[in-house]
Amino acid sequence: MAIYHLSLKNGKKGKAKQHADYISCEGKYEEKSDLRELIEMNIPEQTKNAKSFFAASDRYERKNGRSYRELEISLANELTHEQNKHALLDFIAKTQLRDKPMLIAIHAGKDGNQLHAHIMFSERANADFKMPAFFKRNGSKKDRLLNDKKYLFEMRETWEDSLNNELVAANQPSLVSCKSHAERGLNIKPQPKLGHAAQAMISKGKTSRIQQEIDKIMQENISLRELDEQSLALQLEMQRQNDLRVLEDIAALQRHELEPEPELESKPEPEPELESKPEPAEEAEEEGMVMGMGMGSSSL
């Protein structure tokens, strides 16, 4: 599974040429046989190659200054050499490193399964200055953005994107993240690094205290990971049940909308009763009777 690692280191004046030999597996470091490829970029024309440039940096940088900086980056074992190289160049093109003189060394690690890269670079952009003016205060200016912590976090995110793009293109299921375990909600303890001294002890068959601590943390992380998987499975099941209920509610609503509404029988409204008026003949008869009755009484 691909892992994420990116660290930034500072190089003191007087150490640049030696470090260039180290990552190039040259000089007294020839016995290192894990070098895959060396890449030089933006080296000024005044210097023959990257190592000559960093030797000049050792000589001409100001006292107590930095003659180089270095990014150490883990590559993905799941990718080919060309795919890892493409991710590196994409990362450099998207950051402030794009115009800096640099030496890139891609290593396989002792067992061939610890692929990583060293990006050794100058903070000064490639510019048309002769030596030693290039390294002076009035020469090529140092990029102060590389000292900004916020920008360094952005560089970490950029490497995450560059490497994940290659992993996705290669149809690899596991991706990397620059976030910590805590930020990602993972209940996993960090492991200490196994340094050169501990590795030398192990190679001689001796017991290393750091290795014992790493083994203990690995066992604890296995238990924690099992608990996390159980918790995740429970959360997923609860989410699935909730999704099913939502789908059932939606289906019920859709069925209700599709069913035709029953027609209501319309009852005829009762006609208003009309007042019956007497016929004219009856009215005349009644008037005659009244008049007759009146006349009779007057004759008495």
Side-chain angles (χ1 to χ4, degrees):
M1 184 178 72
I3 61 173
Y4 183 94
H5 172 75
L6 183 148
S7 62
L8 178 64
K9 301 177 180 179
N10 297 324
K12 294 181 180 179
K13 179 178 178 178
K15 300 293 184 180
K17 174 60 168 61
Q18 179 182 343
H19 192 71
D21 286 342
Y22 172 76
I23 65 174
S24 303
C25 300
E26 295 181 359
K28 64 179 182 180
Y29 304 104
E30 288 181 348
E31 294 181 359
K32 286 175 60 66
S33 58
D34 67 331
L35 179 66
R36 290 283 183 87
E37 185 176 357
L38 281 177
I39 305 170
E40 297 184 359
M41 296 179 65
N42 304 320
I43 302 301
E45 294 181 358
Q46 309 89 293
T47 54
K48 297 178 181 178
N49 50 45
K51 282 183 282 188
S52 297
F53 171 80
F54 286 112
S57 178
D58 280 337
R59 181 177 181 183
Y60 297 121
E61 273 289 357
R62 65 179 179 82
K63 187 178 180 180
N64 298 325
R66 283 193 298 256
S67 56
Y68 74 96
R69 301 186 82 177
E70 180 191 31
L71 284 172
E72 193 175 88
I73 299 177
S74 290
L75 303 177
N77 291 328
E78 294 85 348
L79 299 179
T80 65
H81 173 75
E82 289 302 319
Q83 288 169 334
N84 277 314
K85 178 180 174 181
H86 187 269
L88 276 174
L89 297 179
D90 179 70
F91 164 72
I92 290 169
K94 292 176 178 177
T95 63
Q96 292 295 106
L97 302 180
R98 67 180 69 91
D99 60 349
K100 306 297 186 294
M102 71 181 70
L103 176 63
I104 305 169
I106 301 176
H107 291 187
K110 287 186 177 181
D111 59 0
N113 294 319
Q114 297 177 355
L115 294 173
H116 62 278
H118 300 266
I119 304 178
M120 182 178 178
F121 64 94
S122 171
E123 295 171 284
R124 301 180 186 276
N126 187 5
D128 188 18
F129 286 98
K130 294 182 178 180
M131 300 298 166
F134 182 91
F135 296 100
K136 300 302 180 181
R137 292 185 183 275
N138 58 350
S140 178
K141 301 298 182 182
K142 287 192 173 184
D143 191 340
R144 298 303 177 187
L145 189 59
L146 294 170
N147 295 325
D148 188 337
K149 288 186 177 181
K150 182 179 179 181
Y151 181 71
L152 295 179
F153 280 113
E154 292 178 5
M155 288 181 68
R156 290 176 59 82
E157 292 174 347
T158 303
W159 172 241
E160 175 188 319
D161 292 339
S162 296
L163 185 57
N164 281 340
N165 288 340
E166 289 297 323
L167 289 168
V168 170
N171 295 319
Q172 293 296 327
S174 62
L175 303 180
V176 300
S177 175
C178 64
K179 295 181 180 178
S180 66
H181 293 329
E183 289 173 322
R184 296 163 61 193
L186 299 177
N187 191 20
I188 299 176
K189 295 182 179 180
Q191 297 177 192
K193 292 184 178 180
L194 191 65
H196 296 295
Q199 292 178 4
M201 291 178 65
I202 294 171
S203 64
K204 295 177 182 178
K206 297 181 179 180
T207 302
S208 168
R209 178 185 59 80
I210 296 178
Q211 183 61 59
Q212 291 176 338
E213 185 178 349
I214 292 174
D215 292 341
K216 180 181 178 182
I217 292 175
M218 287 178 67
Q219 291 299 320
E220 291 176 353
N221 283 340
I222 290 173
S223 300
L224 291 171
R225 193 175 292 111
E226 291 175 353
L227 291 174
D228 284 341
E229 289 175 355
Q230 294 173 4
S231 175
L232 179 60
L234 180 60
Q235 292 177 18
L236 290 175
E237 178 60 23
M238 293 174 64
Q239 183 63 43
R240 189 181 72 85
Q241 295 292 339
N242 184 62
D243 291 344
L244 286 175
R245 286 193 295 270
V246 171
L247 290 174
E248 290 173 357
D249 292 342
I250 293 174
L253 288 171
Q254 289 175 342
R255 286 196 301 270
H256 179 71
E257 291 175 356
L258 293 175
E259 290 177 356
E261 294 183 0
E263 295 183 0
L264 299 176
E265 296 182 1
S266 57
K267 295 181 180 181
E269 294 182 0
E271 296 182 359
E273 295 182 0
L274 299 175
E275 294 181 1
S276 58
K277 294 183 178 181
E279 294 294 333
E282 294 177 354
E283 291 178 357
E285 184 178 351
E286 289 177 358
E287 290 176 358
M289 291 176 64
V290 172
M291 290 176 64
M293 291 175 64
M295 293 172 61
S297 60
S298 61
S299 62
L300 293 175

